[in-house]
Amino acid sequence: MGAGTEINNGEGLTKRRGWMCTKEDFLPEESFQSWGNYANALKQTPARLVDRILTRSSVEEELEVKARSNHEMKRTLSWWDLIWFGMGACIGAGIFVLTGLEARNDAGPAVVLSYVVSGISALLSVFCYTEFAVEIPVAGGSFAYLRVELGDFMAFVAAGNILLEYIVGGAAVARAWTSYFATLCNYEPHQFRILARGLADGFNQLDPIAVGICIIVCIICVVSTQGTSRINYIASIVHIVIIAFIIICGLIKSDPKNYTDFAPYGPRGIFKASAVLFFAYIGFDAVSTMAEETKNPGRDIPIGLVGSIVITTIIYCLMAITLCLMQPYGNIDVDAPFSRAFDAVGWSWAQYVVAAGALKGMTSVLMVSAVGQARYLTHIARTHMMPPWFAKVDPKTGTPINATVVMLAAIAVIAFFTELNILSNLLSISTLLIFMLVALALLVRRYYVSGETSNQNRNKLIGFLALILGSSSVTAIYWNASEEGWIGYCITVPIWILSTVGLWYFVPLARSPKLWGAPLVPWLPSTSIAINIFLLGSIDKDSFIRFTIWTLLLFLYYLFFGLHAAFDTAKAYEVKVIQEGTITKIEEGEVSSGTRPGFDGVDGLNAPSTTPSN
C-alpha cells in the first residue's frame, strides 16, 4: 500500500500501484509456487518442524531481515519520546476501568498492593526487555528476542499470542472509549450503541463510535511515527494534569474510614487482582518494538522503558488509593469508577473532567498499541511466517502501513460486536507468558553461546532452568490447590533459590552485554520467571482454555503455511551467506578453481527445499 513499487516483468522495470497485490506478495516462497511443490513441502513437514524448533536465529540475521521491508523506518525517537509513549501506552483503560472492578470484586482497598505486585513484575520484565532491545534494535520486540534465543517455533507461538492480546486489548479500550464518551455527553453507553436483536447477547450491542475512533487512530499512525509521538506527548501532558486533579481533589474528599477493612478478600484476592491488572502494564511491550526508530538505542531505550514503568506504577498506586478512600469498595461503580466516585461525594461536575481525562488516556493507549502491534506484525512478516505483504514500509511516511491498517481493522471489527465484559476475560494470560519467556530467553542469552559453551555447561544450564521453571510452576499450582497449606512452599521456594544459586555459581557466563545489560543476572530474570508464573496460576481456567484453543489454531496455521514459508526463507538466507562468503574468498584468492558459487545445487534464486540441516 502507499507508494508504488518497481517490479521486474522480464522486459525491464515497471511501476506498480501500491494498492495492487499479487500472489507473490503473500506466498512468494518456493514451496507455494505450484501444487506439486506444496505437496512435497507437506511431506517434509516433520523434518522441517524439527529444524525450525532446533534452529535459532542470530542477531545478524534479525538485523538483515529489515531489508525485506524495502525501506527502513525513520530514526526519529529519543528517550523523552519513549517515556511519553510508555506512559501513553499504559495509562488508559486498565486504570480507569479495571481498578474499580478489581477493588470491588477481588481485592478491596488492597488493590493498591495488587498494583505494586504487578508493577514489580513489569519492572523486572522491563529490565529483560531493555537488554534485548538495545542489543537487537529491530521492530520485532519479543518475537525477535525469542527467535534468537529460543528458536522459530517458540517465537511464533509467543508472537501469535501477543498479537491476540493487542487486538483484544485494543477492542476493549475502544469499547470503553464509547462508555466514557457517553458519560462526558451525559448519556448512558447503550444510547450510543445499536441493538441488533438477531445476534447473541454480548455481541448484539453494535458500537460504531468504537469503529470511528479506530479509523482516526489508524490515520494518525500511518502518517508518521514522529507525528504520533508529538500528539501523544501533548495529550499526555493534558492527561497528567487531569490525573493530578483526580488525586488531589479525590484526597480532599477522602474518608479514612473507607480503609478500615483493607484486605477483605485476603492475599488470594490481592494476587488474583494483580494477575488481571497486569493488563494495565502491557503497553511497555509496544515501546520496545520502536527500537528500530530510536536515535540512540543504547541510551534512549533503558531510560525510556524503565522511566515510564516507574512513573506509571507510582501513578497507578496513587489513583488506587484515592479511589478507595473516596467511597467504600463495595459501592464502587465497575464501569466508570472514578467519574461515579466524584458524583458520589457531591462533585458532579468533576465527573466530566475525569471522563475527558479517561478518553485522552484511552486514545493514547490505542495509538501507542497500534504502533507497537503493527511493528510486531511487520517483523513476523519479514521472516515470512506471515505473508511478506505485511512487512512493507511506505517510503514516504516510513511506517508499516499494511500492518497498521490490518491490525486496526481487526480491532475495529471485534470492538464493533463484542461487549467489554467478554473482552476483559481474555486479557493478561498471553502477556504474562510472553514476559516469562523473555526472562527465560535472557538467561539463555547470557549463559549459552552456540559453538562456544561446552556440552557440560549446556547440560547444567538446562538442568537449572528446568528446576527454576518446575519449582515456580509447582508453587503456583500449590497456591491454587491449597488455601491453608504452607508445607509445599517450604519445598518449592528453597528449590527455586538453590536452582538460581546453582546457575550463578556452577555455570559460567558465556556472553556479556555490549551496550547495556540487565542487572543482577541470574537473580533478576529468575525472579521475573517465578512472579509471572505465580500470577499465571491466579488466572481462571476459562482463560487457559481460550489460550489453548488459540494456540492450537496458531499451530495449524504454522504447520500448513508459516512453517514452510519460514523454512524456505531461512534456507535462502543460508545460501546467501554461503555465496557472499565464497565471493569474499574468491576476491581474496582463497578458493580453488573447482569451487564456485552455485555449485552442487546452491544457487542464488531459491533455497534448497529438501531435508533440513540441523
Side-chain angles (χ1 to χ4, degrees):
M1 296 180 69
T5 58
E6 290 182 331
I7 58 174
N8 194 329
N9 61 5
E11 300 177 355
L13 293 175
T14 59
K15 195 77 170 179
R16 187 179 74 182
R17 293 185 181 274
W19 51 263
M20 294 177 63
C21 297
T22 68
K23 174 181 171 294
E24 295 301 310
D25 290 313
F26 291 90
L27 296 171
E29 301 80 16
E30 183 68 21
S31 294
F32 303 104
Q33 293 305 304
S34 68
W35 285 106
N37 286 11
Y38 185 55
N40 185 52
L42 291 179
K43 292 177 183 178
Q44 298 177 31
T45 296
R48 290 184 171 196
L49 181 60
V50 171
D51 177 86
R52 291 296 88 196
I53 290 175
L54 298 179
T55 300
R56 300 158 71 213
S57 179
S58 65
V59 175
E60 293 74 21
E61 185 176 351
E62 292 303 308
L63 295 174
E64 186 274 340
V65 298
K66 291 196 296 183
R68 299 174 191 168
S69 289
N70 292 341
H71 303 278
E72 288 193 2
M73 298 183 191
K74 296 179 180 179
R75 291 187 176 274
T76 58
L77 304 179
S78 66
W79 63 266
W80 185 252
D81 296 310
L82 295 182
I83 284 182
W84 288 104
F85 259 124
M87 293 172 60
C90 293
I91 304 175
I95 184 66
F96 283 109
V97 178
L98 295 181
T99 304
L101 180 66
E102 294 307 309
R104 179 167 178 166
N105 297 339
D106 292 320
V111 69
V112 63
L113 298 182
S114 300
Y115 272 118
V116 170
V117 173
S118 296
I120 291 174
S121 179
L123 184 60
L124 294 176
S125 297
V126 159
F127 281 115
C128 299
Y129 264 83
T130 300
E131 178 169 332
F132 277 114
V134 171
E135 297 284 308
I136 313 174
V138 295
S142 57
F143 170 76
Y145 314 152
L146 296 178
R147 190 165 175 258
V148 169
E149 301 302 337
L150 302 183
D152 268 21
F153 177 70
M154 186 61 69
F156 177 78
V157 172
N161 277 282
I162 203 68
L163 285 177
L164 173 68
E165 192 82 358
Y166 272 126
I167 291 173
V168 171
V173 173
R175 295 284 294 201
W177 201 98
T178 301
S179 297
Y180 268 95
F181 182 68
T183 301
L184 185 64
C185 298
N186 207 24
Y187 284 91
E188 293 297 323
H190 69 85
Q191 294 178 283
F192 280 24
R193 295 183 175 123
I194 302 170
L195 178 62
R197 301 186 184 278
L199 300 178
D201 289 341
F203 301 91
N204 58 353
Q205 291 282 341
L206 308 184
D207 195 334
I209 293 179
V211 175
I213 190 63
C214 288
I215 293 173
I216 294 172
V217 167
C218 181
I219 294 172
I220 294 172
C221 290
V222 300
V223 170
S224 168
T225 304
Q226 179 65 20
T228 304
S229 174
R230 289 171 180 167
I231 292 173
N232 178 71
Y233 172 53
I234 295 170
S236 292
I237 293 176
V238 176
H239 196 198
I240 292 297
V241 172
I242 294 176
I243 287 174
F245 168 84
I246 293 173
I247 294 172
I248 294 172
C249 295
L251 290 177
I252 290 174
K253 301 297 293 184
S254 65
D255 184 355
K257 293 180 181 179
N258 294 329
Y259 250 49
T260 303
D261 189 7
F262 181 70
Y265 302 99
R268 293 184 178 276
I270 293 172
F271 285 109
K272 182 179 179 181
S274 181
V276 175
L277 293 173
F278 203 87
F279 166 62
Y281 289 96
I282 189 176
F284 83 80
D285 185 66
V287 178
S288 72
T289 67
M290 300 175 194
E292 197 172 314
E293 297 158 272
T294 303
K295 296 176 182 177
N296 185 352
R299 180 199 65 186
D300 297 337
I301 293 174
I303 297 174
L305 281 175
V306 176
S308 63
I309 282 296
V310 171
I311 295 172
T312 297
T313 301
I314 293 172
I315 290 174
Y316 282 171
C317 291
L318 290 174
M319 292 184 70
I321 291 171
T322 301
L323 177 65
C324 293
L325 281 173
M326 290 180 70
Q327 60 182 149
Y329 71 89
N331 296 339
I332 293 175
D333 185 88
V334 297
D335 294 317
F338 288 94
S339 293
R340 301 306 181 194
F342 277 100
D343 189 34
V345 298
W347 285 16
S348 300
W349 59 271
Q351 66 178 317
Y352 303 111
V353 177
V354 175
L359 285 177
K360 184 270 132 203
M362 286 183 278
T363 303
S364 291
V365 168
L366 279 173
M367 283 197 302
V368 180
S369 64
V371 170
Q373 66 199 227
R375 280 141 187 81
Y376 259 113
L377 183 55
T378 296
H379 199 76
I380 297 170
R382 286 169 172 173
T383 68
H384 288 220
M385 289 187 194
M386 292 290 286
W389 181 79
F390 294 112
K392 302 299 182 184
V393 173
D394 187 85
K396 292 183 179 179
T397 65
T399 59
I401 291 182
N402 297 352
T404 303
V405 171
V406 169
M407 292 299 293
L408 278 164
I411 290 174
V413 169
I414 295 175
F416 184 60
F417 291 99
T418 315
E419 289 188 4
L420 182 60
N421 62 330
I422 295 176
L423 293 170
S424 63
N425 291 330
L426 294 172
L427 302 175
S428 288
I429 183 170
S430 295
T431 310
L432 290 166
L433 175 69
I434 301 303
F435 292 170
M436 183 273 291
L437 288 175
V438 170
L440 177 64
L442 180 60
L443 289 175
V444 173
R445 179 172 181 79
R446 288 289 194 95
Y447 287 95
Y448 178 78
V449 173
S450 180
E452 297 183 15
T453 304
S454 67
N455 290 338
Q456 182 182 15
N457 286 332
R458 181 198 63 191
N459 294 336
K460 286 190 290 185
L461 171 63
I462 293 173
F464 286 128
L465 290 180
L467 287 173
I468 290 172
L469 291 169
S471 59
S472 301
S473 300
V474 174
T475 301
I477 294 171
Y478 186 75
W479 168 264
N480 265 331
S482 177
E483 294 188 4
E484 304 295 335
W486 54 271
I487 297 178
Y489 304 127
C490 296
I491 300 173
T492 59
V493 174
I495 290 176
W496 173 80
I497 294 174
L498 292 174
S499 301
T500 308
V501 170
L503 178 59
W504 168 73
Y505 186 78
F506 291 106
V507 184
L509 284 171
R511 179 191 282 119
S512 296
K514 298 177 181 178
L515 297 175
W516 191 95
L520 301 176
V521 174
W523 291 100
L524 187 147
S526 180
T527 304
S528 180
I529 290 171
I531 292 179
N532 285 321
I533 290 179
F534 186 80
L535 292 177
L536 277 170
S538 301
I539 294 178
D540 62 280
K541 67 177 183 179
D542 289 340
S543 294
F544 280 99
I545 293 173
R546 287 187 287 267
F547 167 77
T548 302
I549 292 172
W550 173 246
T551 302
L552 288 174
L553 291 174
L554 284 176
F555 186 64
L556 289 175
Y557 168 83
Y558 187 75
L559 284 181
F560 287 99
F561 295 99
L563 168 63
H564 308 292
F567 179 85
D568 287 351
T569 304
K571 295 309 171 184
Y573 175 73
E574 292 177 10
V575 170
K576 177 182 177 182
V577 171
I578 292 172
Q579 287 184 330
E580 289 179 349
T582 304
I583 292 171
T584 300
K585 289 182 178 181
I586 291 175
E587 291 174 348
E588 294 174 354
E590 298 179 10
V591 180
S592 65
S593 59
T595 305
R596 62 186 184 276
F599 190 66
D600 288 338
V602 177
D603 59 55
L605 298 177
N606 296 309
S609 56
T610 54
T611 305
S613 59
N614 291 324

